[in-house]
Amino acid sequence: METEFVKSLQCNYERVRLPEKPDERRYQYCILTRGGIKGLLSCSLRYINGQAYLYYDITSKQSTAQLCVKQLLDRKWVLSFFRSLRCTRQELERFLLDDKNIVVYPEHVFQDVGSKNFSFLYLPYSTENSGMLKFIDFIIEHMDYEDEGLVECVYSMYEQLEKAGEDYLVKQIYEDAERLEILSQNTNCEKDPDSFMAVSEEANGDPAIGREIAAAEDLALTKQGKVGLWERFSRKKKKERDARQSYREAMLERMEGIAVAEEMAYDTEDYGQTVYMERPVEENEQHKLYTPDGRVAATLESDNFLIGKQKDEVNLVLEDGSVSRIHARISLEDGITYLEDLNSTNGTFKNGLRLQPYEKRRIEENDEIRIGKLLFIFR
């Protein structure tokens, strides 16, 4: 997909360039642009200079690729994702839409930071791969490895998806994900079958189903099965550890390359002239954000410093109505400091110039950074 992030009026969009002018009368375009399908990003079809684009509204949402920079994925998050995807696919069946057209690459799956609801991008008549294997690979990179049950479940899903492809994706992958709910009710996976069956009966309300689930779990969690799985995991672990850094760098490079300006001019504000006294910066001194009156607002103690008003999710909490939950990031890469907008509602500005959603710009000493209505000086 040829995608880019743009801002227009008060909304942020991910727009997808279509290879040719579409027939707007075709069913999938009609249903998608009409909107109202639960679980899908709302979408509109627009034409610019004779080129057709699909505009997906991502206002107040964050891509999973961005959200997972600071947090580990636990079984609750993984289970919530697969349940949301399953519900969305069922909703598509209700509208007679092909569920294979859901795009599941990490940078194109969005989550509302407040409600935690997932939203998916639907690409009509797509012949591209849905990206599910990449998404599970993404989960493997970011999941909590102290949770053995989660690790076993995700690796098992990955291997079965590799072997069976779409056949596994249609139904079985969601049933396997539901195992995480059963395991959450009992952290000791090795307990006796009768006790496990009781938990399964309570979860499903059907003794027969409970016995089937118990039998399946007993088989999957036998000592021999666990040893075999962890042997495969051990062989992959080193390779994946080495690949994680390059994977992250490639993802950041991709996100940096697709931020462009919309076809409209933005008004810049004149903040007046302020004279700052230059001071030498020691080589190992950490950078700081200062208020215009010279007070230290924050010390940039992390190479990925998140700014917003969502407590426990960001490094600098700003209690202001103009600031989004996860608003912006200041990152250090190869000795260079960058400012990045994280799909904020009221914008991130460097020296009065607004960044596009997910756009990243280099910042230097004494640059002015505006987060919503709040102004800071970077030193």
Side-chain angles (χ1 to χ4, degrees), residues 275-320:
V275 178
Y276 302 105
M277 295 181 60
E278 296 287 346
R279 64 183 184 88
V281 179
E282 299 180 8
E283 183 176 353
N284 295 324
E285 184 178 3
Q286 292 175 322
H287 283 99
K288 296 180 175 64
L289 293 180
Y290 290 82
T291 61
D293 59 4
R295 293 181 292 108
V296 176
T299 300
L300 307 182
E301 300 176 343
S302 170
D303 290 347
N304 283 289
F305 191 86
L306 293 174
I307 303 171
K309 63 182 180 183
Q310 182 78 15
K311 295 180 180 179
D312 301 327
E313 296 286 347
V314 299
N315 302 94
L316 173 60
V317 179
L318 299 176
E319 298 287 352
D320 188 272

Side-chain angles (χ1 to χ4, degrees), residues 6-261:
V6 297
K7 182 173 182 65
S8 178
L9 299 178
Q10 297 300 316
C11 296
N12 294 341
Y13 297 95
E14 179 176 8
R15 72 178 183 185
V16 178
R17 178 183 176 185
L18 299 177
E20 57 186 19
K21 184 178 179 180
D23 183 353
E24 300 180 33
R25 297 170 300 176
R26 298 186 70 182
Y27 180 75
Q28 290 187 11
Y29 285 111
C30 292
I31 296 299
L32 180 64
T33 55
R34 187 188 68 175
I37 301 179
K38 185 177 180 181
L40 293 188
L41 293 167
S42 61
C43 178
S44 59
L45 180 61
R46 305 184 188 181
Y47 295 91
I48 301 174
N49 298 327
Q51 180 64 56
Y53 295 90
L54 285 171
Y55 274 63
Y56 297 89
D57 190 348
I58 59 172
T59 307
S60 302
K61 297 178 176 63
Q62 291 290 333
S63 72
T64 54
Q66 295 292 338
L67 283 173
C68 297
V69 170
K70 193 171 183 288
Q71 68 178 30
L72 290 176
L73 302 182
D74 57 18
R75 65 175 60 189
K76 181 179 178 182
W77 191 97
V78 174
L79 183 59
S80 175
F81 167 78
F82 281 104
R83 283 177 172 173
S84 296
L85 182 57
R86 187 177 197 176
C87 289
T88 303
R89 286 178 175 270
Q90 292 172 345
E91 188 76 358
L92 293 180
E93 291 179 4
R94 197 166 68 88
F95 285 92
L96 303 179
L97 291 173
D98 189 349
D99 59 10
K100 294 181 181 178
N101 294 338
I102 296 180
V103 179
V104 202
Y105 286 94
E107 58 269 30
H108 302 301
V109 175
F110 291 84
Q111 189 176 21
D112 187 286
V113 180
S115 66
K116 304 299 182 182
N117 293 331
F118 289 91
S119 297
F120 300 93
L121 185 153
Y122 185 88
L123 191 60
Y125 304 104
S126 173
T127 58
E128 301 292 330
N129 187 288
S130 67
M132 178 56 76
L133 198 61
K134 279 287 187 181
F135 198 93
I136 297 183
D137 189 51
F138 174 79
I139 295 175
I140 289 174
E141 181 186 0
H142 292 88
M143 65 182 171
D144 182 4
Y145 276 83
E146 293 185 1
D147 187 339
E148 290 189 15
L150 175 63
V151 172
E152 290 181 7
C153 182
V154 173
Y155 265 91
S156 176
M157 293 163 66
Y158 184 91
E159 291 175 347
Q160 292 186 68
L161 185 59
E162 270 189 320
K163 294 175 182 177
E166 289 293 330
D167 291 338
Y168 176 63
L169 182 59
V170 170
K171 181 178 180 182
Q172 188 60 41
I173 192 171
Y174 305 108
E175 295 181 359
D176 288 350
E178 289 297 330
R179 287 182 51 211
L180 295 172
E181 176 70 19
I182 298 172
L183 293 176
S184 296
Q185 299 181 41
N186 178 23
T187 56
N188 179 13
C189 300
E190 307 265 10
K191 68 180 185 175
D192 64 276
D194 293 336
S195 177
F196 183 82
M197 188 180 70
V199 174
S200 300
E201 290 176 4
E202 181 181 353
N204 294 276
D206 188 329
I209 296 177
R211 284 190 291 272
E212 291 179 6
I213 296 176
E217 285 295 318
D218 288 339
L219 178 62
L221 297 175
T222 57
K223 185 174 182 180
Q224 181 178 359
K226 292 182 71 174
V227 170
L229 180 61
W230 280 101
E231 284 178 352
R232 294 193 296 272
F233 165 66
S234 298
R235 289 195 297 268
K236 290 183 179 181
K237 190 172 182 181
K238 184 179 185 302
K239 180 180 178 181
E240 287 164 356
R241 188 188 304 116
D242 296 338
R244 285 177 189 174
Q245 184 61 32
S246 59
Y247 179 88
R248 184 178 293 108
E249 291 173 357
M251 184 178 299
L252 291 174
E253 181 179 350
R254 187 183 310 127
M255 298 300 288
E256 179 181 3
I258 57 182
V260 301

